[in-house]
Amino acid sequence: MISQKFWGTKISGVSIPLYVAMMVVLAATIALNKLPLNMLGLTLMLVLFGHLFFYIGNRLPIVKSYLGGGSVFTIFASAALATSGIISAPIVNATKTFMNDNGLLDFYIAALIVGSILGMNRNLLLKAAVRFIPVSLAAMIIGFFSVGLVGMILGVGFGHAVMFISMPMMAGGIGAGAVPLSHIYAQGLGVSSGTMFSEIIPAITLGNVLAVIGAALIAKVGANTKYDGHGVLLPISEDEKTKPLRTLDATQIGVGMMIAFTFFLLGTILNYFVPKVHTYAFIIILVIIFKAFNWVPKQLEESVVMFNKVIMGNLTHAVLAGIGLALINLHVLAQSLTWKFVILTLTSVVVMGIASAFIGKLFGLYPVESAIAAGMSDNSMGGTGNVAVLSASNRMEMIAFAQMGNRMGGALVLIFGGILIHYLH
């Protein structure tokens, strides 16, 4: 009976014996230092690790119920492989390059943003966007002052708490947040940007982890209550519900990829002329405009949604594994874990989660979705953090809103960071 169950169990569609065989091949290749450090080798490694760790995490009793399940476990298990040296530094560095410079994240997030927006009902998108943006910004303001006040109570100081914990957590991640913010701080204080980067990265890392766990808990506690929109921000009619896709079509999936990536290139062009606005922000704006004016034919919309579905189903866990391997340093995180630091980062996550839930309710949004897409995502590590937050809460369809709040809020953090560093440090 046990043998039959073992042979019949599948991890993401692959039987366990076959999965074990592929893992053995991967382990042997890594041990011999022969893993191709290109798209082929790194994609297979991330997919195999990602699916396996996600499967395990969703079955561990405490982890699956209270610690973010498969998403958080995938991130930490992958980070442990890198930090312990089981995965060598050259592979970790290649993964970091593959995720960022070589565009795996861009590939994944472009598919998600364009597909999620074009797949939404037009009226629902417009109604939700105008309500969500003020909720997100209000939660950030409340979080900023709450962290500052708690910092004063703990003896850390209002200025230090907001400049090195609250604002880095809300800055929009690493590339679009921590890097420019560290340069801004360095200029204002007359120190090196490397010193500033090392001071703000722990808050971003821990904040991201707490936001992912928080999103999973919010989804669990609010499940099947009147506050739960099941991935939809505000109450909708039958006509506004997303219609199920027809059978996936290989040609249409290819067309969807071309449409999604064309929007990405348009966002890149606009970012060239206005570099202070992130490429993702331009993509969101463009796709919303095209959706609002019905400029994309229905068949092309379906093609992009099909592409979105394929990418989400096959690459989400791989991206989570990449986040752990390339972006989470457990040594750095452990060194920063003083009780005051933990309380301040927790304050930002908890207060912004509660604030966005209540304010979202006032604006007619479902509190669960509002707390996750605004409160948790605004504390996450940018695009990668949003993926982890929404994956943990099973709400990937809200990626456009999470990115919307993240990018707008991050831009404001950089602007005010340059002003306040002269007065609050």
Side-chain angles (χ1 to χ4, degrees), residues 89-413:
I91 295 178
V92 172
N93 292 332
T95 302
K96 188 178 299 183
T97 301
F98 181 50
M99 291 279 290
N100 297 312
D101 299 339
N102 291 345
L104 177 62
L105 277 177
D106 288 339
F107 182 98
Y108 180 80
I109 292 174
L112 258 62
I113 291 175
V114 182
S116 63
I117 295 176
L118 291 183
M120 289 178 66
N121 177 276
R122 174 178 169 275
N123 295 331
L124 173 63
L125 172 65
L126 298 177
K127 286 193 296 185
V130 296
R131 301 182 192 195
F132 176 78
I133 292 171
V135 171
S136 178
L137 296 180
M140 292 180 70
I141 293 170
I142 293 171
F144 175 88
F145 284 104
S146 297
V147 171
L149 291 174
V150 173
M152 291 173 63
I153 294 170
L154 296 179
V156 174
F158 183 95
H160 184 83
V162 297
M163 299 307 293
F164 290 94
I165 295 178
S166 176
M167 294 188 78
M169 288 172 67
M170 299 186 299
I174 306 295
V179 172
L181 190 64
S182 64
H183 283 288
I184 290 169
Y185 283 6
Q187 277 189 328
L189 299 176
V191 297
S192 72
S193 58
T195 300
M196 289 295 96
F197 187 82
S198 64
E199 281 202 47
I200 66 177
I201 197 65
I204 295 173
T205 305
L206 181 59
N208 187 75
V209 171
L210 294 177
V212 175
I213 295 172
L217 290 176
I218 290 168
K220 183 177 180 62
V221 172
N224 299 317
T225 65
K226 63 180 180 179
Y227 306 114
D228 181 10
H230 304 284
V232 180
L233 269 173
L234 72 169
I236 59 176
S237 65
E238 283 297 321
D239 291 337
E240 291 174 325
K241 289 184 179 178
T242 303
K243 302 297 186 293
L245 278 173
R246 300 173 311 190
T247 306
L248 294 180
D249 180 271
T251 301
Q252 276 194 272
I253 292 169
V255 172
M257 179 184 72
M258 289 188 282
I259 298 296
F261 292 169
T262 299
F263 273 112
F264 182 87
L265 293 184
L266 287 171
T268 303
I269 292 169
L270 292 174
N271 172 256
Y272 173 79
F273 291 106
V274 190
K276 291 188 180 296
V277 179
H278 197 278
T279 299
Y280 294 162
F282 276 126
I283 297 172
I284 293 169
I285 294 168
L286 284 169
V287 182
I288 288 178
I289 291 172
F290 272 72
K291 182 71 177 182
F293 287 96
N294 282 322
W295 288 344
V296 182
K298 189 67 179 174
Q299 186 176 8
L300 293 184
E301 283 189 356
E302 287 186 354
S303 297
V304 179
V305 173
M306 284 184 188
F307 176 57
N308 171 294
K309 187 178 179 66
V310 170
I311 296 304
M312 277 183 58
N314 291 284
L315 283 186
T316 298
H317 304 158
V319 170
L320 293 174
I323 293 170
L325 275 173
L327 300 177
I328 305 295
N329 188 315
L330 297 182
H331 287 319
V332 172
L333 190 57
Q335 289 170 2
S336 65
L337 290 181
T338 66
W339 67 272
K340 291 182 180 180
F341 175 79
V342 173
I343 288 177
L344 288 169
T345 51
L346 192 59
T347 297
S348 181
V349 174
V350 172
V351 169
M352 287 177 64
I354 293 172
S356 57
F358 276 100
I359 299 171
K361 182 76 167 63
L362 293 176
F363 277 76
L365 305 180
Y366 283 112
V368 169
E369 275 63 30
S370 184
I372 293 170
M376 298 303 102
S377 290
D378 282 349
N379 279 294
S380 75
M381 196 182 283
T384 54
N386 290 338
V387 171
V389 164
L390 299 180
S391 174
S393 55
N394 195 27
R395 280 164 171 79
M396 290 300 293
E397 59 268 40
M398 295 199 302
I399 185 71
F401 294 105
Q403 289 282 47
M404 201 181 294
N406 217 243
R407 296 306 164 193
M408 290 182 63
L412 291 174
V413 165

